[in-house]
Amino acid sequence: MPKDDLSGKKLDHISLSGANLSDSDLSKSSLRRSHFEGASLQDANLAESDLQGAHLNHADVTGAILRNADLTGADLRGVDLGRAASTEGAKLTDAKGASLEQAEQAAEDRVISVEWADDADE
């Protein structure tokens, strides 16, 4: 169960700088031009959220789900997107601090590993 369930909410222009939003569900939320400077977003679900123009400077996104999130024009300086659980399909157009490599990685479908469970009948 998520710590805070803010999924689907319109939270544009809010300031959550320095907030602990670890394990929170912010999926499908509108967070345009909101401030998350230094916030902990560890293991947070931001899938399909609108983060256009958001300020995420130095936010911790370790384990966060950013799948299909719109980070167009967001400030990602000091954010290590490589530590996120998923950036698949994230839009990083004109994002500050996002490298070309991060944008390409978010744009491609990736399978990291696949394991097959043993059949119980064998």
Side-chain angles (χ1 to χ4, degrees), residues 35-90:
H35 292 260
F36 294 93
E37 291 96 340
S40 176
L41 295 165
Q42 292 180 1
D43 301 314
N45 184 357
L46 291 152
E48 300 180 35
S49 287
D50 184 350
L51 290 153
Q52 291 183 55
H55 301 270
L56 289 109
N57 319 53
H58 302 285
D60 184 357
V61 296
T62 304
I65 300 168
L66 293 163
R67 186 181 59 255
N68 298 321
D70 189 348
L71 293 154
T72 301
D75 190 343
L76 300 172
R77 290 178 285 190
V79 176
D80 186 353
L81 290 178
R83 297 183 62 102
S86 174
T87 57
E88 181 182 330

